[in-house]
Amino acid sequence: MNLKSPFLALALLAMLLIVCLTTPASEASTKTGSTTVSITLPDCIILHYYSELNLKFEEYSQAVDQGGSGTWNVQWSGAADGGSQLSASTIQDVLPGTVTMTIPNVWAVRGLSPSGNAKVTITVVNNQLVSGSSKITILNGAGQTQIDDNAGHSGTSINTSLNGLTTSTATIGNVLMTLDFSQTNMAGAHSGGQYKITAETI
């Protein structure tokens, strides 16, 4: 049996191992580059609103005691006069002729603008709600029909905060509306009134 070959192979392997262990490893080559990022965003505004409002007033009925009527003079013909007769000036004003109400949380805005704000305006497009000859009139102008937001701004046109794109930070607002019932003579649905809300970035 020839023992030189195994010993020779073993010697070569040992020499190779010694060379690998004593030769210094080459260093890795690394380069780093940094990139700055800038983003330009456009104006963006989202207006939330109801396309239809159905306002239902509560039922109201009342018997009004106008007090003592005094003495009535009655003739044999049946005619009577005297006393405190009912007239437009003596009937107690139980229900008002105009009603000013606040409809809560019926519009909202969110978005982006250079100032972070938006201009929101309300305009009465049609101030008549009708049912046959019966009319309800929406009174127009500041203090009559206007908007307000949850930061205390109010008027027919207000500057309000946009607060970004998320729904959780949206500005939510109310509509104040004054209704005139002086030409209303029928119960039931009256329709045709319309207001418009406009929101623009500023």
Side-chain angles (χ1 to χ4, degrees), residues 132-146:
S133 62
S134 184
K135 296 179 183 179
I136 302 170
T137 302
I138 302 173
L139 300 182
N140 205 353
Q144 305 287 353
T145 297
Q146 61 184 38

Side-chain angles (χ1 to χ4, degrees), residues 60-70 84 86 90-94:
Y60 187 89
S61 298
Q62 184 177 348
V64 180
D65 183 355
Q66 293 288 144
S69 63
S84 178
L86 292 180
T90 62
I91 293 175
Q92 291 184 23
D93 190 7
V94 179

Side-chain angles (χ1 to χ4, degrees), residues 41-61:
L41 293 172
D43 284 23
C44 174
I45 194 162
I46 302 166
L47 170 66
H48 301 267
Y49 68 100
Y50 287 103
S51 58
E52 183 176 348
L53 294 179
N54 187 0
L55 308 176
K56 294 186 176 180
F57 276 71
E58 65 177 348
E59 285 191 25
Y60 187 89
S61 298

Side-chain angles (χ1 to χ4, degrees), residues 1 19 62 102 121 127 133 161 183 201:
M1 182 176 184
V19 170
Q62 184 177 348
T102 297
T121 303
N127 71 337
S133 62
S161 299
Q183 299 180 70
T201 57

Side-chain angles (χ1 to χ4, degrees), residues 78-103:
D81 60 18
S84 178
Q85 301 180 45
L86 292 180
S87 65
S89 61
T90 62
I91 293 175
Q92 291 184 23
D93 190 7
V94 179
L95 287 178
T98 59
V99 173
T100 299
M101 59 189 173
T102 297
I103 311 167

Side-chain angles (χ1 to χ4, degrees), residues 45 47 49 107-109 118-123 125 147 156-158 160 195-201:
I45 194 162
L47 170 66
Y49 68 100
W107 63 269
V109 288
K119 180 180 179 181
V120 183
T121 303
I122 187 169
T123 307
V125 178
I147 52 176
T156 56
S157 182
I158 63 172
T160 190
Y195 66 77
K196 177 177 67 176
I197 294 180
T198 303
E200 59 182 310
T201 57

